[in-house]
Amino acid sequence: MATSAGSRNRAVPYINVTPLKPSRFKADIPTQHDPNEDVSKLKPNPLTLVVSISTDLQLKLNQDPMGSVNDPSGLAAKLQQTFQQRREQHAYKVGMETATNIPEDQRIEKTVFVKAPRVLRYGDVVKVIDAIKGAGASPVGLQVDDLP
């Protein structure tokens, strides 16, 4: 509080307001498929990246060991290297191959999915997501336990 110029004993309220940075969280929800559709012949996208976190906090990128939750720097370095190779090879997201009006860096496939058991602490999963985003991944998806 401050005092007013006219009265030395009278307090004048002063509110310090710090502006907050707005944040955004984009969520893409998959569409429901026809339950009668035969999905056994579908092939996974070869550009799909899945980071798995085990209950002992070990990390894997697809099937390759990548350190642990407590030191995700190896994972981040591998993702940065992968994204750089994709830039050099022009490995674009599906449907973005001919979208020349969009900057090339935004067209590169940099989607990463995180697969973690529900028993893990939230903070451990967030550490991994931070490392993935820091490496340049976008978007980052979360995979639910019940899905293969």
Side-chain angles (χ1 to χ4, degrees):
M1 290 218 186
T3 58
S4 67
S7 170
R8 292 184 192 162
N9 296 333
R10 186 168 160 216
V12 177
Y14 173 75
I15 300 173
N16 181 6
V17 178
T18 304
L20 299 176
K21 178 184 173 192
S23 63
R24 174 173 56 150
F25 185 87
K26 181 180 176 185
D28 291 332
I29 300 171
T31 58
Q32 291 288 339
H33 292 284
D34 180 359
N36 298 323
E37 180 182 4
D38 181 16
V39 294
S40 65
K41 294 184 174 109
L42 291 178
K43 295 186 181 190
N45 184 333
L47 298 177
T48 300
L49 296 171
V50 178
V51 174
S52 301
I53 309 172
S54 62
T55 54
D56 63 352
L57 303 182
Q58 295 302 303
L59 302 174
K60 285 186 179 181
L61 177 58
N62 292 346
Q63 297 302 318
D64 300 327
M66 287 290 144
S68 75
V69 167
N70 298 317
D71 182 15
S73 60
L75 171 66
K78 180 63 176 176
L79 287 172
Q80 286 175 335
Q81 177 187 10
T82 300
F83 299 148
Q84 179 60 38
Q85 287 173 343
R86 288 181 177 185
R87 265 185 227 98
E88 293 166 1
Q89 298 169 355
H90 307 288
Y92 300 123
K93 296 176 185 176
V94 174
M96 297 292 247
E97 300 84 1
T98 60
T100 56
N101 59 328
I102 298 173
E104 183 173 33
D105 196 55
Q106 293 178 13
R107 295 167 47 204
I108 301 298
E109 179 58 81
K110 295 189 264 181
T111 303
V112 177
F113 293 96
V114 177
K115 183 176 181 179
R118 293 179 193 260
V119 296
L120 286 185
R121 293 183 334 185
Y122 174 77
D124 291 333
V125 178
V126 170
K127 280 185 204 176
V128 176
I129 292 172
D130 284 347
I132 292 169
K133 290 184 78 71
S138 179
V140 176
L142 301 176
Q143 188 171 351
V144 181
D145 275 345
D146 326 16
L147 299 177

